[in-house]
Amino acid sequence: MDVYEKAPLAPLTTFRLGGDAERLVTARTDEDVVAAVAAADATGEPLLVIGGGSNLVVADRGFAGTALRIATRGVTLTGTALEAAAGETWSAVVARTVEAGLAGVECLAGIPGSAGATPIQNVGAYGQEVSSTVTEVVAYDRKARETVTLTNDACAFSYRNSRFKAEPDRFVVLRVRFRLEDADGLSAPVKYAETARVLGVEPGDRVPLDKARDTVLALRAGKGMVLDEADHDTWSAGSFFTNPVLTAPEHAAFVERAKDRLGPDTAPPSFPAGEDGGQDLVKVPAAWLIDKAGFTKGYGSGPARISTKHTLALTNRGGASTEDLLALAREVRDGVRAAFGVTLVNEPVLVGVSL
């Protein structure tokens, strides 16, 4: 393990924000990860686990404890079964599956971060979520003080959520196992309307894997959602807010608010989101809410602004502080709530700060 005192955390995040960690430990084996976690727990020292840093907003004052950077590597394919080390770069994992002609995660290409973070957030995009392919997650259970294997059901996946996110101080992901599909070089059925339109196919059709992957990468790049060191529009955590999921009564109240604000013919986009306790749920696009509340692309005059390519991405234009970013996030959240009665929830993990 590599250990550094008073180590800057900003370079380890895609926002390039945050102060120093009291201590930074880089672990390259599962055994070292477990040892570092156990050592921190034994002394009661605060612990911050970092993978690709694509989903972290760290306080300007930094982190008063040990930051553990998981740098484990390794991808194993056995038939349609895939196992990835938690520290493996997610984009490399997707590339490996496409090269092997296996479908299931090709539309998750271009998502920054590490493989170990994908089940925590139940990462999803363009009609795919990792929960549909994850079979098991190997993790260190800090409560039981042992390495455990959780099945898909035990992960308690839901929209942008999981047991790991619900119990943030309990599990440290070590490895993720997936079951993919051999469809003779074709993708999984295309579910996302925009992807189908650009591909020139109908939803439910399949296309060559590399074509699906390349199309998604182009769509993401056009929205500033593919990391580029030279492009400050990509200095973000991707989508800063999750799409709100409303009950039927909440959705009806929202539609009325939208018509009052935007006119009687307004029909806000919405999508079925399953049910909860017998109540139908409806998902509303956060990007639509933000835009219609008056926060358009490029909004802001300071060093933290909304992306010029996508209203869901809050960006560091260079020289921003974490407080600059949070001030913008609060302004957007409060503006959407005032306009539509819907409260946006942040997707990135906030470390030492809150909205």
Side-chain angles (χ1 to χ4, degrees):
M1 288 186 285
D2 298 330
V3 181
Y4 298 94
E5 305 295 327
K6 299 297 180 184
L9 293 178
L12 302 181
T13 74
T14 53
F15 267 123
R16 279 79 166 179
L17 296 175
D20 294 349
E22 188 173 311
R23 181 179 301 103
L24 173 65
V25 176
T26 299
R28 293 183 173 82
T29 68
D30 290 354
E31 294 75 18
D32 283 347
V33 172
V34 172
V37 174
D41 288 348
T43 61
E45 185 176 26
L47 180 71
L48 171 63
V49 178
I50 301 176
S54 62
N55 206 45
L56 287 179
V57 178
V58 179
D60 290 318
R61 65 178 179 274
F63 183 71
T66 293
L68 171 60
R69 182 175 176 236
I70 298 181
T72 53
R73 293 289 184 269
V75 178
T76 304
L77 267 172
T78 307
T80 58
L82 168 75
E83 179 178 286
E88 189 65 61
T89 303
W90 176 246
S91 58
V93 175
V94 175
R96 180 74 179 274
T97 67
V98 172
E99 290 167 5
L102 298 176
V105 295
E106 62 278 0
C107 290
L108 303 180
I111 293 177
S114 63
T118 59
I120 298 173
Q121 291 292 121
N122 185 18
V123 163
Y126 295 98
Q128 290 183 345
E129 287 184 329
V130 292
S131 58
S132 65
T133 54
V134 168
T135 56
E136 295 178 331
V137 176
V138 180
Y140 178 67
D141 185 338
R142 299 169 67 183
K143 182 177 180 181
R145 299 182 181 179
E146 63 181 6
T147 298
V148 297
T149 299
L150 289 84
T151 64
N152 183 290
D153 286 344
C155 293
F157 289 120
S158 60
Y159 172 65
R160 298 298 180 271
N161 207 350
S162 69
R163 185 177 179 184
F164 310 106
K165 190 172 182 180
E167 301 180 68
D169 297 323
R170 180 166 181 181
F171 298 101
V172 177
V173 175
L174 301 174
R175 300 191 162 266
V176 187
R177 293 170 181 156
F178 304 82
R179 177 66 66 183
L180 304 172
E181 179 189 7
D182 185 349
D184 295 324
L186 296 179
S187 69
V190 177
K191 295 181 179 179
Y192 200 68
E194 182 184 22
T195 313
R197 177 179 56 77
V198 173
L199 285 166
V201 300
E202 294 296 322
D205 288 349
R206 296 176 184 262
V207 298
L209 274 166
D210 56 352
K211 187 174 182 180
R213 185 265 318 274
D214 293 346
T215 296
V216 165
L217 285 174
L219 286 170
R220 290 184 64 86
K223 299 173 183 178
M225 296 291 187
V226 177
L227 288 175
D228 181 348
E229 182 69 27
D231 184 358
H232 285 258
D233 255 350
T234 71
W235 287 28
S236 73
S239 299
F240 194 89
F241 297 104
T242 58
N243 294 322
V245 176
L246 310 177
T247 64
E250 289 171 340
H251 182 253
F254 154 65
V255 171
E256 288 306 310
R257 291 281 290 268
K259 289 182 177 180
D260 288 344
R261 180 182 178 88
L262 303 172
D265 295 330
T266 300
S270 60
F271 308 92
E275 63 176 46
D276 182 27
Q279 280 200 89
D280 290 334
L281 300 176
V282 182
K283 186 186 299 181
V284 179
W288 187 93
L289 292 167
I290 293 168
D291 181 72
K292 299 303 181 184
F295 303 100
T296 54
K297 295 174 184 176
Y299 178 88
S301 58
R305 304 179 196 176
I306 291 177
S307 166
T308 64
K309 300 181 180 74
H310 200 295
T311 51
L312 261 184
L314 308 188
T315 66
N316 172 10
R317 309 306 298 181
S321 67
T322 298
E323 280 305 312
D324 291 329
L325 175 74
L326 293 175
L328 175 62
R330 293 182 190 115
E331 183 183 2
V332 172
R333 179 201 59 190
D334 295 347
V336 167
R337 184 164 53 202
F340 300 113
V342 176
T343 300
L344 296 177
V345 176
N346 54 283
E347 184 167 342
V349 175
L350 308 182
V351 180
V353 292
S354 64
L355 284 184

